Amino acid sequence: MSVSRSGPLPVGPGAEYDVVVVGAGVIGSAVARTLARHPLRVALVDAANDVGDGTSKANTAILHTGFDATPGTLEARLVREGHRLLSAYARETGIPVEPVGALLVAWDEQQRAALPRLAEKAARNGHHSTRMLTAAELQPREPHLGPGALAALEVPGEAVICPWTTTLAYATQAVRSGVDLHLDCRVEKVRPGDPFHRLVTRRGVLRARHLVNACGLHADAFDALVGREDFTVTPRRGQLLVFDKFARDLVRHILLPVPGPLGKGVLVAPTVYGNVMLGPTAEDLTDKTATGTTAEGLAGLREQGGRILPALLDEEVTAVYAGLRAATGQEDYRIAAHPALRYVTVGGIRSTGLTASLAIAEHVRGLLADCGLDLGPEQPLARVHMPNLGEAFLRPYRDARLIALDPEFGDIVCHCERVTRGEIRAALTSTVPPGGLDGLRRRTRARGGRCQGNHCGAEVRALFEEYGEGAR
């Protein structure tokens, strides 16, 4: 297994790859993992110094049923199938998931009139368990809901999940099963050829028979490198507020609005980490690096959150962040095979991409076969079991058996999130170690709590220097 962040790339005979997957977010990592089930030489590359460092790290962390997808679209099919696959995979690998269900809340007569149509759409998507709730039925289910809610559509099966662990699980399993992961490896040019494409990167040249574009926000730019101009990605910013753990008892379900033309709208949802999340906004921009939050955006969220769950505004905000989604002007995924180029584009993957990731990977595998890739026989993947970051499950600081085996798992370093020295050490020495402190936070929650690292930051940094890549 190989993970590299510096130095030259492999050269010479035998250094060619059957497939290079460009983009190590949740989609690219899922594709690499799926391909690792075959006797292929596969590389997963990314310009960042960690996996899941783009759109994948800043989504709304919901495992969708796909009840409100447009029936008949590729997205609807892959989200429905992906929900089944990821639910099973999470159980197998220890990714925290909480099946809290969702309530689609109507706040005016127009929205209430739309609920039966949404229930009908859900049924067309194969989701037949939705149920209409009156205002009287809604109140005991969500006692802190703001005044004026007229009705709701109950959607069982919706869940919250840890998106960071999901991407890391895919990448870890891919690497342990033979995939080469090259980080800090931006692709600057592509020189199509036969039998090998040549990818010119800042660290050298990669040669590949087949290419997969999983570049997210930059999928259109990578398409252009191989001579395709099929769509344009417009970054759609979503700003979010994360409230302190004291707010967790205020909400029992994912509270969804009736969808609008720019997406699913602003929601209130619990997180697997024990917080409450409010957002996202939906702002179409031109800058694909504009992940900063704005005073106007956050004020708008607070205004909407105050109507949905008034008591939420009395709680402390732990963090604010923003993510960019890849809008393409088409309400469906932009997944296409180009057999003459031995190339597959996986573009236009928006907020449902986390849920659909394993199904998208299976779909891409089929498209690569259509492009002439000889997959060969299937082989078992290396087994993985991920560290638990979810509050609803046993955390290391409470695990007496684990602490008896290794006392460092009882030595708390980050008191806000109750992260132990053992967890930090394990993350820093793992198969895919973090490239920096932000990556360590996504693996352990260290520095992600109420004080945002003011108390534990120095000790966390010292551990990073002791066990991290810089120490090896």
Side-chain angles (χ1 to χ4, degrees), residues 91-112:
R91 290 191 295 270
E92 173 190 325
T93 59
I95 298 169
V97 173
E98 288 188 58
V100 293
L103 296 172
L104 196 70
V105 181
W107 297 91
D108 58 40
E109 290 297 339
Q110 184 177 4
Q111 292 178 1
R112 177 157 62 178

Side-chain angles (χ1 to χ4, degrees), residues 23 32 71 126 128 180 183-184 187 214 246-247 296 308 317 334 359 411 459:
H128 299 282
D180 289 344
L183 299 166
D184 271 328
V187 177
F246 286 120
E296 180 183 10
I308 299 167
V317 173
R334 299 277 193 153
D411 183 1
E459 188 172 0

Side-chain angles (χ1 to χ4, degrees), residues 347-391:
I349 311 299
R350 297 165 296 136
S351 59
T352 57
L354 170 64
T355 300
S357 53
L358 289 177
I360 289 172
E362 294 290 344
H363 184 60
V364 170
R365 178 171 61 164
L367 293 178
L368 285 168
D370 294 342
C371 289
L373 177 64
D374 182 4
L375 293 166
E378 285 202 31
Q379 55 197 21
L381 291 167
R383 294 183 64 83
V384 298
H385 196 275
M386 304 305 294
N388 168 50
L389 300 187
E391 284 298 299

Side-chain angles (χ1 to χ4, degrees), residues 61-65 82-101 157-166 170 248 254 270-274 354-355 358 386-394:
I62 293 175
L63 182 57
H64 295 284
T65 59
H83 182 276
R84 181 185 68 81
L85 292 173
L86 183 49
S87 295
Y89 184 74
R91 290 191 295 270
E92 173 190 325
T93 59
I95 298 169
V97 173
E98 288 188 58
V100 293
E158 296 278 304
V160 291
I161 186 171
C162 177
W164 307 329
T165 306
T166 304
Y170 296 161
R248 180 60 184 84
I254 302 165
T271 74
V272 294
Y273 320 114
L354 170 64
T355 300
L358 289 177
M386 304 305 294
N388 168 50
L389 300 187
E391 284 298 299
F393 308 94
L394 185 63

Side-chain angles (χ1 to χ4, degrees), residues 7 13 31 36 108 118 197 217 285 384-385 387 423:
V31 170
D108 58 40
L118 288 165
H197 303 303
L217 290 168
L285 308 175
V384 298
H385 196 275
E423 290 173 273

Side-chain angles (χ1 to χ4, degrees), residues 215-272:
C215 294
L217 290 168
H218 304 282
D220 55 345
F222 192 88
D223 259 7
L225 294 180
V226 297
R228 303 292 312 186
E229 294 184 0
D230 299 325
F231 59 87
T232 298
V233 173
T234 298
R236 181 169 292 165
R237 181 167 60 189
Q239 302 183 51
L240 298 107
L241 290 162
V242 180
F243 288 84
D244 193 78
K245 291 175 174 54
F246 286 120
R248 180 60 184 84
D249 289 339
L250 296 177
V251 61
R252 300 175 181 177
H253 303 76
I254 302 165
L255 301 179
L256 299 170
V258 176
L262 287 179
K264 298 180 185 300
V266 172
L267 58 86
V268 175
T271 74
V272 294

Side-chain angles (χ1 to χ4, degrees), residues 104 109-123 130 132 152-153:
L104 196 70
E109 290 297 339
Q110 184 177 4
Q111 292 178 1
R112 177 157 62 178
L115 294 182
R117 294 194 297 272
L118 288 165
E120 180 186 354
K121 178 189 277 189
T130 62
M132 295 290 295
L153 182 68

